[in-house]
Amino acid sequence: MYYSLQIIAGLSAVGLAVGVQGSISEPNTCSWGPFLTHRELTCGAPQTKSQTPQPSTAFKVETPELWNSPNERYERPRKYKLPTGWKGPEHCFTDFCLYYNPDAGDGGMSLITTSRNAFIVASAVLPPSSGVEPTAYYEAEVPGKGVGLIANRTIRKGEIIMQRAPALLIQSTPHIDLEREPRERMYQAAVDRLPERAREGFLRQMGETVYDKAEKNSFRMFVDGDRKHSAHLGLFPEVSKFNHDCRPNVHYRVTNLTHTTIAVRDIPPGTELTVSYIYTQVPRSTRLTQLREWGFECTCSQCTLPPLEAGASDARIRQIDALEEEIESVMSRPGAPGLRPEMAGKLVELYRMERLDAALGPALTRAALISAMFGREEEARGFAREAAEAVERETGTGRKDAEAMRGLAREPRGHWAWGVLEGRGEGKKNGTSGM
Ligand SMILES: *[C@@H]1O[C@H](CO)[C@@H](O)[C@H](O)[C@H]1NC(C)=O
Ligand SMILES: *[C@@H]1O[C@H](CO)[C@@H](O)[C@H](O)[C@H]1NC(C)=O
Ligand SMILES: *[C@@H]1O[C@H](CO)[C@@H](O)[C@H](O)[C@H]1NC(C)=O
């Protein structure tokens, strides 16, 4: 038998560990920081095939032949009729045009994309803006960081702080490929078309030019599954108010064209709300370099640790990497030779000591499964319960992975992994487990 996480929990270990992009048709999520376009610092591709929203029969659906046909190339903007309220195409350049609707999303949306993508986005039903009440946090100057968000009451682990639609969506292709001049014109027009509040929010973001602001503050989003042409930069001006911390108290996920920020530990009043702009499970020097490239010197709680503690933190990161690699490796072999029940608690302990509260899902899932395999009921239940909550915080509701963990917490003995390695961790007192 092979004990791979995928088989056991019905989850993709790689997808969970690395994070998966958001997409309109898949409840996937990307847990990496604002994406750096040219360096492709992105997470894995969506795992399953997308379902394109069904266009009404009144519209022609684009076919690959059409996509490639030179004659049709510049005709395309007319092929999709956008829902009422949407304007455009305007400011077209090659296949890309500006589309906008001052009433869409949370106070206006502008799109720079193809007609097909515009149709998909405009036809999507976005969940209404939501989150904690507006007085739950406030804006204030944070020493060394500029303006940030501060908790105005205790915000509990699992509370959704903001759920927002993008103000601006820019397809990645023109962002990367278009020449500077037409691109700047389009971007400026897209921002000008936003209602005042969204426009001011956009312009307040970090960055020199409109292009630079888009580049620095965007989140990678897929509007149409894994279709190559559906990668976009999503701009959420309100979300940009969160400052960075390498050990953030807020996690974000991008699903179904929506950006959701959620507390990953209890946050006392007066504490700054932070997200991480980068993938955090790397040594301090790597984090500092990445954030410098992004545009600032990291002064977060973790970057400013005294040398001894910073060294201990780096050592823990290395230990986590080594332990996870070992677990993955032994679990992929028949009988999982070398797997020990203590590995479960050790892994979770390292994550907690490192305050990686925004990335606990995969570690808790592994711990729950290891405990179940060795027949350690209370541990398995405890880890599985927490794993379900963490997976849901990190990837959104309705995930099979969270459901599998709930099942394990409810009825560990009913899980097929139950007890398959029982006795082995206890010096084989009960003999081998008959595999
Ligand atoms: C995303 O949309 C799909 C399909 O409409 C839905 O099943 C799923 O629950 C949504 N996911 C989230 C996190 O809202
Ligand atoms: C903080 O909360 C208190 C009590 O709910 C409220 O009166 C006050 O206006 C809030 N402060 C801000 C800046 O929102
Ligand atoms: C060995 O198995 C017996 C019966 O299943 C059980 O009561 C006992 O606790 C086990 N011993 C150990 C060390 O696991």
Side-chain angles (χ1 to χ4, degrees):
M1 249 186 253
Y2 290 78
Y3 304 110
S4 108
L5 274 180
Q6 283 100 317
I7 298 167
I8 298 169
L11 58 80
S12 155
V14 174
L16 260 189
V18 176
V20 180
Q21 298 102 333
S23 133
I24 209 171
S25 45
E26 273 297 309
N28 287 338
T29 190
C30 175
S31 45
W32 289 32
F35 112 94
L36 307 175
T37 322
H38 299 289
R39 311 184 64 237
E40 286 295 295
L41 190 86
T42 55
C43 16
Q47 297 152 50
T48 51
K49 270 204 93 53
S50 66
Q51 299 140 13
T52 304
Q54 287 300 310
S56 126
T57 47
F59 317 132
K60 265 196 202 167
V61 181
E62 187 179 63
T63 64
E65 299 79 60
L66 184 59
W67 185 265
N68 293 322
S69 153
N71 295 336
E72 294 279 0
R73 213 173 143 76
Y74 299 102
E75 297 285 326
R76 240 178 297 143
R78 270 179 250 133
K79 292 206 184 299
Y80 294 94
K81 187 175 168 349
L82 299 184
T84 31
W86 283 89
K87 311 229 170 52
E90 284 182 11
H91 290 82
C92 295
F93 194 81
T94 66
D95 291 341
F96 310 102
C97 300
L98 166 62
Y99 304 84
Y100 58 98
N101 180 349
D103 298 318
D106 312 319
M109 265 171 95
S110 285
L111 319 173
I112 293 172
T113 192
T114 60
S115 57
R116 183 180 195 277
N117 289 331
F119 173 73
I120 292 171
V121 173
S123 311
V125 179
L126 302 181
S129 162
S130 64
V132 294
E133 74 284 2
T135 54
Y137 55 85
Y138 55 89
E139 287 177 40
E141 193 70 31
V142 182
K145 284 183 170 184
V147 174
L149 300 179
I150 314 290
N152 189 28
R153 63 160 169 84
T154 302
I155 295 178
R156 295 284 170 202
K157 178 160 91 170
E159 272 193 84
I160 288 179
I161 295 167
M162 295 180 196
Q163 187 163 77
R164 300 286 186 266
L168 194 55
L169 266 179
I170 300 169
Q171 192 170 335
S172 300
T173 314
H175 184 77
I176 297 167
D177 291 348
L178 284 197
E179 284 171 33
R180 205 173 141 266
E181 209 190 302
R183 192 182 61 204
E184 291 283 325
R185 264 205 314 276
M186 279 173 98
Y187 282 27
Q188 191 60 54
V191 173
D192 290 344
R193 295 297 193 203
L194 288 172
E196 191 178 338
R197 205 170 132 265
R199 187 172 62 243
E200 283 177 358
F202 178 88
L203 293 173
R204 237 192 352 245
Q205 296 176 117
M206 195 171 157
E208 305 284 316
T209 59
V210 170
Y211 171 83
D212 193 31
K213 287 177 198 291
E215 170 107 349
K216 285 212 160 87
N217 298 284
S218 59
F219 296 83
R220 188 168 162 105
M221 311 183 78
F222 280 73
V223 305
D224 184 18
D226 51 4
R227 226 170 154 275
K228 194 171 141 220
H229 293 282
S230 84
H232 285 68
L233 285 73
L235 276 296
F236 303 80
E238 265 192 274
V239 169
S240 302
K241 292 176 185 166
F242 286 95
N243 282 325
H244 166 82
D245 198 291
C246 294
R247 298 292 175 261
N249 49 25
V250 174
H251 174 76
Y252 73 81
R253 52 179 200 249
V254 179
T255 41
N256 291 2
L257 279 184
T258 305
H259 189 291
T260 306
T261 36
I262 184 164
V264 295
R265 44 180 178 258
D266 290 347
I267 306 170
T271 309
E272 184 179 15
L273 307 177
T274 54
V275 299
S276 179
Y277 292 6
I278 53 167
Y279 176 64
T280 52
Q281 250 165 277
V282 290
R284 183 172 174 274
S285 58
T286 311
R287 299 196 312 266
L288 287 171
T289 308
Q290 284 185 3
L291 291 165
R292 219 168 269 145
E293 282 173 18
W294 197 87
F296 65 92
E297 201 59 34
C298 181
T299 58
C300 84
S301 58
Q302 198 72 6
C303 288
T304 52
L305 285 177
L308 260 179
E309 288 174 44
S313 160
D314 280 359
R316 268 193 299 269
I317 294 290
R318 284 194 299 272
Q319 243 182 310
I320 288 175
D321 284 351
L323 186 53
E324 286 184 337
E325 209 169 292
E326 188 183 353
I327 291 173
E328 277 298 283
S329 150
V330 298
M331 275 186 149
S332 68
R333 292 207 293 276
L339 193 70
R340 299 183 307 278
E342 304 76 41
M343 285 173 164
K346 183 70 196 169
L347 183 63
V348 171
E349 183 195 347
L350 286 168
Y351 268 82
R352 292 208 200 283
M353 283 176 78
E354 221 13 60
R355 297 190 300 139
L356 292 166
D357 301 307
L360 280 174
L364 285 164
T365 301
R366 286 194 173 96
L369 291 169
I370 293 171
S371 301
M373 287 169 148
F374 285 99
R376 299 189 160 199
E377 183 162 355
E378 277 323 297
E379 271 176 45
R381 278 184 196 274
F383 286 137
R385 229 180 343 255
E386 282 192 85
E389 285 171 17
V391 167
E392 241 167 40
R393 275 198 306 275
E394 289 160 29
T395 62
T397 50
R399 298 285 305 212
K400 274 206 297 265
D401 320 333
E403 211 29 66
M405 284 296 110
R406 265 205 194 93
L408 179 53
R410 221 169 21 236
E411 214 188 324
R413 285 167 191 274
H415 197 280
W416 79 261
W418 177 258
V420 292
L421 300 177
E422 198 166 9
R424 218 180 60 184
E426 267 77 41
K428 297 191 167 117
K429 277 181 215 141
N430 273 353
T432 54
S433 53
M435 285 183 302

